[in-house]
Amino acid sequence: MEATWATTSAGIIITVIVAVIWAWRMLNWFWLRPKRLERLLREQGLKGNPYRVLVGDLMDIRKMQKEVMSKPINLSDDIVPRAFSHVQHSVNKHGKNSFIWMGPIPRVTLTDPELIKDVLNKNYDFPKPNIVNPLVKLLATGLANHEGEKWSKHRRIINPAFNLEKLKIMLPIFFKSCNDLISKWEGMLSLDGSCEMDVWPFLQNLARDVISRAAFGSSYEEGRRIFELQKEQTELTIKVAMKAYVPGWRFVPNSTHRRMKQIYRDLNASLKGMINKKEKAMKAGEATKNDLLGILLESNHKEVQEQGNSKNVGLNLEDIIDECKLFYFAGQETTSVLLVWTMVLLSRYPDWQARARDEVLQVFGNNKPDFDRLSHLKIVTMILYEVLRFYPPVLGLTRTVHKDMKLGNLTLPAGVEVSIPIVLVHHDCELWGNDAKEFNPERFSEGVLKATNGRVSFLPFGWGPRICIGQNFSMLEAKMALSLILHRFSFELSPAYAHAPISVITLQPQYGAHIILRKVEL
C-alpha cells in the first residue's frame, strides 16, 4: 500500500514539474522574451508598435492587405503603398529605424546599404529564419532554406546545373517554348492583325513550359498536374503563414491542413516517379544529361564517388525531390513576373519599346537568337534591370539573429529578425536620386555597379554568397522571350487593364495584364 502511495506521489510530482516547466516555457515564449527584446530594441532608439500577445502586428498586416487587395490603384510605378503596405506604414510612422512584430518576434527593418551588405555577406551569422510552422515546409525547402554545411553541400552539387556553358546548351529549349508562344499569339490575331488578351496566364505557361523542358526534359503538359498542385499549395501556405503560429496546431485535422498534407504526398509521389525514371534511363544510356535533373543526378553521383558512399555524403532521394520542387517553383515564378511587368512597362513607355525593338532587329535580323547575340542586347538588358528595380520578384528578405550581433551602431539581441525591404530600397530617392520613382532604364547604361555607385542597393536576386543560383537562367530566358515578342508584335495596355501589383510569394498582377497586341510589319 505504501509503495503504491509512493509511486502515485512520485507520478504526481513529476507531472507537476513537467507542467510547471511547460508553463514557464510558454510564458517565456509568448510574453517574457518578446518584452525583453522590445526593451533592448527601444533602448537603442528603434521604434515600433507595443507588443501584443501572440499576434503582434499580424492582425494589422492582414487588415492592410485585405484593404489594398480590394481595389486597383492609379496607373503609377509607386507600387510600395499597395504591394508592401505594412512595411511602408511602419517606416512612415516610426522612421527607417523601426521594427514590426511578426507574432512574438520583432523584425528590424534595414534600409542602409552598408548594413544590408554586412547581413547578406555574413550568411552564417545571419541565417534565414527557421520555418517554425511545419506546414509551411510542405511547399518547398531545398537549397533556398538550408543553412550551414548542408547549404554548402547542396549549393556545390547543384552549381553545375546552372553553369553558363550548360545554360548555353539549353537555349534551344528556351527558343522552342518561346516560339510556341509566339505562334499561339499569331494564331489569335484578328484580320486587322491585332488581338486583346490577358498575357499573364500565357507568360506563366511559357515559364512553366521552359522549366519543365529544361529541368526534366518534358513539356509543360506532362508537368501540368505538378504545377497546379504547387499553385494550390502556395495559396494554402500563404493562408497558414499569415496566422500566428501556435505549437501543436498543425495536428488539428481541419480541411486546410488535410489538403496541404495530401498535396505534399501527391507531389512527392509524382516527383519520385520522375526521378527514378530518369536515373534508370541514364544508367541505360537512354537519357540526356543536359537537363537540370540529369546534371544534378550526375553531379550528385560524382560527389558520392569522390567523398565515399557514407550516410552524409551527397543528396538522398528526399533531398533531390525538394530541389525538384524548388526548380518548379522558383524557375517559373521569377521569370514569369519579370516578363509580365516588362510588357506592362513597355506598353506604358512606347519610346523604350521602340528602342528595344530596333536593337533586337539590328542584332538578330532574321537570325535565330543565340547566346552571343543575346549578350549584345544592351538596351534590352537595361530595360530588364529597370523592371527588376521597379518590380522586384521578391519584395523583401528576412534573416534571423541566433546570437547577439553587432551591426553598425546597433547591437541586435538573439531572437530578433532583420528585414531587408528590397522594394523600399529600390524606390529610395536617397539611393537612386530624385527620379527613383520614374521609369528610366538609362540609369543602367553603364551597368549595375555604376548605377548603384557601388552600394548594395540593387538586389532583385538577393546578394552575397546566397545570391539566387538561377539568376542567369532567368535573365537568359527573359531576353529570349522578350526578343521574340518584340520582333513579332507591338503592344499597348488595354482599357481593361487594372493596375494591381500584389505579393503572392512573388509580385504578381492581381487582375492579370490585359494588353493589345499588334503584328509588326517588317
Side-chain angles (χ1 to χ4, degrees):
M1 186 74 176
E2 289 180 4
T4 303
W5 182 84
T7 302
T8 303
S9 297
I12 292 172
I13 291 170
I14 291 171
T15 302
V16 169
I17 291 172
V18 169
V20 169
I21 292 173
W22 182 84
W24 170 256
R25 286 180 176 174
M26 290 297 291
L27 179 65
N28 185 57
W29 173 66
F30 70 75
W31 181 254
L32 297 179
R33 188 176 67 168
K35 292 300 291 181
R36 180 180 65 83
L37 294 175
E38 181 178 10
R39 175 177 56 79
L40 292 172
L41 293 177
R42 293 193 188 282
E43 284 175 354
Q44 299 180 73
L46 293 165
K47 298 178 182 178
N49 291 330
Y51 172 61
R52 285 171 285 182
V53 178
L54 281 178
V55 297
D57 291 326
L58 287 176
M59 298 292 286
D60 292 342
I61 293 172
R62 277 203 296 271
K63 183 179 178 182
M64 284 183 215
Q65 288 182 330
K66 186 176 180 180
E67 184 176 335
V68 299
M69 288 180 68
S70 65
K71 56 181 182 285
I73 57 175
N74 293 331
L75 201 54
S76 161
D77 297 315
D78 187 12
I79 65 169
V80 178
R82 188 180 206 276
F84 224 32
S85 56
H86 63 285
V87 177
Q88 188 192 52
H89 175 78
S90 175
V91 169
N92 289 344
K93 181 178 179 182
H94 302 294
K96 287 187 174 181
N97 295 320
S98 59
F99 59 89
I100 292 172
W101 288 100
M102 302 304 291
I105 301 173
R107 182 176 290 177
V108 179
T109 302
L110 301 179
T111 57
D112 184 327
E114 283 304 309
L115 299 186
I116 292 172
K117 179 180 179 180
D118 211 13
V119 168
L120 296 182
N121 255 338
K122 298 177 179 176
N123 58 305
Y124 287 98
D125 289 330
F126 294 94
K128 289 192 172 186
N130 291 326
I131 300 177
V132 178
N133 190 336
L135 290 168
V136 176
K137 295 181 182 179
L138 299 180
L139 176 61
T141 51
L143 181 68
N145 292 291
H146 295 321
E147 294 294 339
E149 289 304 313
K150 189 170 185 179
W151 171 79
S152 296
K153 179 177 71 173
H154 279 241
R155 183 93 181 194
R156 182 174 64 251
I157 293 172
I158 295 169
N159 257 333
F162 293 93
N163 178 286
L164 208 54
E165 294 304 312
K166 294 292 186 182
L167 293 182
K168 289 180 184 179
I169 297 171
M170 294 180 193
L171 276 182
I173 293 172
F174 294 2
F175 178 80
K176 173 70 169 66
S177 296
C178 294
N179 204 45
D180 287 349
L181 172 67
I182 298 299
S183 298
K184 188 176 293 184
W185 282 359
E186 285 180 331
M188 297 171 66
L189 296 175
S190 59
L191 292 176
D192 67 354
S194 69
C195 177
E196 182 176 337
M197 69 172 76
D198 179 4
V199 299
W200 172 229
F202 287 98
L203 296 174
Q204 286 179 298
N205 287 348
L206 166 65
R208 290 166 181 171
D209 190 63
V210 168
I211 197 64
S212 284
R213 294 176 192 268
F216 307 107
S218 65
S219 70
Y220 166 57
E221 295 301 324
E222 292 179 63
R224 180 186 291 274
R225 184 167 179 271
I226 290 177
F227 280 123
E228 292 304 321
L229 288 173
Q230 283 279 73
K231 181 181 177 183
E232 185 181 354
Q233 193 79 307
T234 299
E235 292 167 353
L236 293 172
T237 300
I238 293 170
K239 180 179 177 182
V240 166
M242 285 309 299
K243 294 179 180 178
Y245 174 65
V246 178
W249 181 250
R250 64 189 169 110
F251 296 110
V252 176
N254 60 35
S255 58
T256 298
H257 296 177
R258 286 196 301 270
R259 181 57 185 156
M260 291 183 76
K261 291 172 183 176
Q262 183 61 51
I263 292 173
Y264 177 79
R265 289 191 293 268
D266 289 349
L267 278 172
N268 281 15
S270 295
L271 290 169
K272 183 178 179 180
M274 292 174 70
I275 293 165
N276 288 337
K277 181 180 176 182
K278 184 74 174 179
E279 283 187 317
K280 185 177 179 181
M282 286 174 64
K283 286 177 182 177
E286 299 170 356
T288 175
K289 296 177 182 178
N290 288 331
D291 54 55
L292 295 178
L293 178 58
I295 299 167
L296 171 60
L297 292 174
E298 187 178 41
S299 176
N300 190 48
H301 179 66
K302 184 179 179 182
E303 172 94 358
V304 172
Q305 282 187 321
E306 291 177 352
Q307 302 294 327
N309 195 9
S310 63
K311 185 177 179 182
N312 295 320
V313 171
L315 309 183
N316 58 34
L317 180 60
E318 186 177 334
D319 290 332
I320 295 171
I321 287 173
D322 284 339
E323 297 304 343
C324 286
K325 287 182 188 176
L326 204 56
F327 283 166
Y328 261 119
F329 179 73
Q332 59 95 10
E333 285 281 329
T334 304
T335 312
S336 60
V337 296
L338 170 55
L339 284 171
V340 76
W341 294 121
T342 300
M343 290 195 72
V344 168
L345 282 163
L346 290 184
S347 293
R348 294 181 53 208
Y349 299 94
D351 289 348
W352 278 104
Q353 183 183 150
R355 287 181 65 180
R357 182 176 296 104
D358 289 344
E359 180 183 57
V360 167
L361 294 173
Q362 181 182 350
V363 171
F364 294 113
N366 291 318
N367 297 308
K368 183 188 294 187
D370 58 23
F371 182 81
D372 289 335
R373 289 188 175 94
L374 286 171
S375 300
H376 283 88
L377 293 175
K378 180 180 178 181
I379 292 173
V380 167
T381 302
M382 287 159 48
I383 288 169
L384 291 174
Y385 282 157
E386 182 72 340
V387 174
L388 287 167
R389 186 184 74 84
F390 259 177
Y391 296 82
V394 177
L395 298 184
L397 302 173
T398 305
R399 296 293 184 263
T400 193
V401 181
H402 287 320
K403 59 182 179 181
D404 292 357
M405 292 293 299
K406 186 75 175 173
L407 188 66
N409 294 324
L410 296 174
T411 299
L412 298 175
V416 306
E417 292 179 350
V418 293
S419 167
I420 300 169
I422 294 173
V423 69
L424 259 69
V425 173
H426 283 191
H427 287 240
D428 192 335
C429 291
E430 292 181 16
L431 299 175
W432 293 92
N434 294 331
D435 67 343
K437 300 187 189 306
E438 297 174 17
F439 183 72
N440 179 21
E442 202 68 54
R443 73 178 81 245
F444 289 102
S445 61
E446 297 180 60
V448 172
L449 193 65
K450 183 75 172 178
T452 59
N453 292 317
R455 297 174 296 197
V456 182
S457 54
F458 182 68
L459 46 163
F461 295 102
W463 199 84
R466 295 198 69 137
I467 193 167
C468 176
I469 197 170
Q471 64 170 325
N472 289 331
F473 183 104
S474 183
M475 288 297 288
L476 271 176
E477 182 187 344
K479 286 181 184 181
M480 175 73 78
L482 187 57
S483 296
L484 291 174
I485 291 170
L486 287 166
H487 193 275
R488 306 287 184 87
F489 305 102
S490 64
F491 41 93
E492 62 188 72
L493 289 182
S494 159
Y497 176 75
H499 197 47
I502 192 70
S503 181
V504 187
I505 305 294
T506 52
L507 185 63
Q508 303 179 8
Q510 184 179 348
Y511 304 117
H514 295 269
I515 280 174
I516 299 172
L517 293 178
R518 288 191 172 84
K519 179 79 171 174
V520 170
E521 299 298 336
L522 300 176

